[in-house]
Each structure stands twice: as C-alpha cells, then as structure tokens.
C-alpha cells in the first residue's frame, strides 16, 4: 500500500512537468512503483519459503530434476554447490515433461523457475551455481 501512496504523491509533479513542457518528472512515481514491486517480491519469497508442499523438495535451494541416474561424482559436485537432486521415475509426469522437451535434466531455481535444461547431464551439473543455504 505504501508504494501506491508514493506513486500517487508523484502525480502532481508529473502533471506540473507536463504543463511546463520539456522533461516529464516521474521520479517519485517510479520510486513508488519500485516500492510496490519490491514488497511483492518479498511476499512471493515469504510464500515460497512457507509452502509446505514444496519446501521438502527444494529446501530453499536449486534442484536438478533428472530422468537419468547420476554418478557419485556428479552428486558430489551438486551437493557441494547446495543443489538437491530429484531423480524422476520413467512414466512419471516430470519424466514425461523432460522427454517432451527432449531433455535429460532440468536445473530449477529456488522460486521454481527452470534455469536451464540440457540433454547432457554432466554439463548441467557443472553449470549449477554455488548456492549453499545456511
């Protein structure tokens, strides 16, 4: 709500700058918009962290969803970078999703957005960012 108030407080400055011509002053309005987006981001992060259905899977970090078994070395690399491994069974919905995308694995961010998909699991393991959750 504070962001909307700040945005509204910027309206008179914007209309005054239109009356005078030249540069349009929207600095206060942009600041209000940024406040709104930052508060929304905070709320999404809070909701994601407290989602009981997904919390055990990600534990707040990256997840490698794979349809092929990983070697112990690949698992060690991922563990050192704070990435969880989720091996999906053939025939499952996630396995079908990977197969439909012609991928062997997908790297999923903590906000459940797919960061990268690949056919080469080794390359995807190496591409996993260092994200150790304290």
């Amino acid at each position: 709500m504070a962001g909307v108030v700040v945005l509204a407080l910027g309206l008179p400055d914007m209309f005054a700058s239109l009356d005078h011509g030249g540069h349009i002053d929207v600095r206060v309005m942009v600041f209000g918009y940024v406040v709104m987006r930052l508060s929304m981001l905070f709320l999404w992060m809070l909701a994601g962290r407290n989602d009981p259905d997904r919390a055990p899977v990600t534990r707040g970090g990256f997840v490698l969803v794979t349809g092929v078994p990983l070697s112990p070395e690949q698992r060690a690399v991922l563990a050192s970078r704070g990435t969880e491994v989720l091996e999906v069974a053939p025939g499952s919905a996630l396995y079908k999703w990977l197969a439909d995308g012609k991928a062997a694995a997908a790297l999923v961010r903590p906000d459940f957005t797919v960061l990268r998909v690949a056919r080469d699991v080794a390359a995807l393991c190496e591409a996993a960012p260092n994200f150790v959750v304290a």
Side-chain angles (χ1 to χ4, degrees), residues 88-103:
V88 295
S92 68
L94 283 175
Y95 188 87
K96 184 177 179 337
W97 174 73
L98 287 169
D100 288 347
K102 296 178 179 47

Side-chain angles (χ1 to χ4, degrees), residues 50-132:
N50 294 315
D51 184 355
D53 293 335
R54 295 181 177 168
V57 175
T58 66
R59 296 186 187 115
F62 284 81
V63 176
L64 181 79
V65 180
T66 178
V68 297
L70 299 180
S71 70
E73 294 81 17
Q74 290 169 330
R75 286 184 177 277
V77 166
L78 292 171
S80 71
R81 296 179 182 183
T83 301
E84 296 287 328
V85 175
L86 178 63
E87 286 189 14
V88 295
S92 68
L94 283 175
Y95 188 87
K96 184 177 179 337
W97 174 73
L98 287 169
D100 288 347
K102 296 178 179 47
L107 189 59
V108 181
R109 296 183 342 188
D111 63 355
F112 304 105
T113 303
V114 175
L115 176 67
R116 190 169 171 184
V117 178
R119 293 181 185 144
D120 182 7
V121 178
L124 199 55
C125 290
E126 290 300 322
N130 193 6
F131 191 82
V132 179

